[in-house]
Amino acid sequence: GRPNVGKSTMVNALFGKKIVITSEIPGTTRDSTEIPFDYKDHKFTLVDTAGIRRRGKLERGIEKFSVLRSLSSIDLSDICVLILDFDEGITNQDCHVSEYILEEKKGLIVMVNKIDTLSGADRERRENEFIYDLKEKMAYIPWAPLVFTSALERKNIFQVLELAAEISTQRRKVVAQEDLNIWLDATLKKFPPKGTRGKRRFDVVSVEQVESNPPCFVFYCHWPEIMHFSYGRYLENELRAAFSFTGTAVRMIFRKPGDRGGRRKSS
């Protein structure tokens, strides 16, 4: 997340002691810190990253290196926790970071920190507003779970570990080919493809899962290059409705029948 949203404070809250340095001064964390630990029979490696500023605000030298290290940590991770500031709301930079996580096909939990600044009806109203804002500005990640937390009060922080364990299971899920065949047949009948260009007509022939962590599905299609992006979104929504994959991005590749790795359209 951005500088000063409470990333390092959250790490210390999880362990109940000072593991990493914290400060109200943005940019205190300069490098990524790896912390291995066990929680309820699950092995984790938690990485506390430096805050990611907008490019235009980056200083040369060590701060630029810190941001590169943070992006590298995202590349190497399985699941990312994007921390947002409850008071400041959702900024453009928050959206940029979430888009990068999506592009890298990671698991994602959206954590809203500092809810201790409000209480009672004010907090409930502001949480509802935040949820509405999130659905508007980050509509491309409706599958990412949302957790309202307070690092200072240690409120809801362990829920993030529970979610991470569940998302890890979802990322490693393998769907049986028979189930995929039944799903595809029902999905195509529900909303048949309509893409055409001249005499060319887009059509989906079959699907198979080729990888997990992250889940990757290859759709074999006639004329995949003329598929409208909205149909790819429809297939992903139906795939999630049938097989879940809560909390993780899914890679979808569209190829011609018989093409095992040539030119392809992906999402």
Side-chain angles (χ1 to χ4, degrees), residues 52-245:
I52 304 176
R53 294 178 185 265
R54 289 191 292 113
R55 285 184 180 180
K57 290 194 173 182
L58 278 181
E59 298 174 4
R60 291 184 178 182
I62 192 168
E63 187 180 20
K64 187 173 182 180
F65 171 78
S66 298
V67 170
L68 290 174
R69 284 279 290 165
S70 295
L71 296 176
S72 176
S73 295
I74 292 174
D75 296 342
L76 296 172
S77 70
D78 291 309
I79 301 162
C80 298
V81 180
L82 176 62
I83 303 185
L84 310 180
D85 189 303
F86 187 58
D87 288 332
E88 295 182 10
I90 304 165
T91 68
N92 288 336
Q93 180 63 359
D94 293 325
C95 294
H96 291 324
V97 176
S98 69
E99 287 168 355
Y100 185 80
I101 294 169
L102 177 61
E103 287 172 6
E104 296 302 311
K105 303 302 180 186
K106 303 301 179 179
L108 175 60
I109 301 167
V110 179
M111 174 189 279
V112 184
N113 189 30
K114 304 182 183 179
I115 62 170
D116 50 273
T117 57
L118 291 174
S119 61
D122 286 340
R123 179 191 291 182
E124 184 177 352
R125 175 186 56 78
R126 182 68 186 95
E127 285 183 1
N128 289 332
E129 289 174 354
F130 208 105
I131 292 169
Y132 179 83
D133 232 16
L134 189 72
K135 289 179 178 178
E136 287 284 309
K137 295 181 179 178
M138 295 187 183
Y140 45 86
I141 49 169
W143 43 263
L146 173 65
V147 185
F148 288 96
T149 65
S150 168
L152 291 178
E153 296 178 349
R154 302 186 77 196
K155 181 179 178 62
N156 296 341
I157 57 176
F158 294 101
Q159 185 180 348
V160 175
L161 300 181
E162 305 278 358
L163 283 169
E166 172 58 25
I167 292 170
S168 179
T169 300
Q170 293 289 321
R171 284 177 65 80
R172 288 167 172 77
K173 180 188 295 182
V174 177
V175 181
Q177 186 61 47
E178 182 180 1
D179 293 336
L180 276 177
N181 294 342
I182 294 170
W183 167 80
L184 182 63
D185 184 57
T187 300
L188 295 179
K189 286 179 179 176
K190 181 179 176 181
F191 183 31
K194 296 180 179 179
T196 58
R197 184 183 296 169
K199 293 183 179 181
R200 300 174 182 178
R201 186 177 187 278
F202 167 70
D203 194 16
V204 182
V205 178
S206 62
V207 61
E208 64 175 336
Q209 183 175 1
V210 295
E211 290 178 2
S212 60
N213 197 27
C216 179
F217 296 87
V218 175
F219 292 80
Y220 294 100
C221 319
H222 295 306
W223 306 109
E225 60 270 26
I226 66 173
M227 180 192 75
H228 194 273
F229 74 91
S230 62
Y231 200 78
R233 184 186 300 162
Y234 163 71
L235 290 174
E236 180 176 343
N237 290 341
E238 292 297 306
L239 190 71
R240 290 183 181 279
F243 305 112
S244 186
F245 296 110

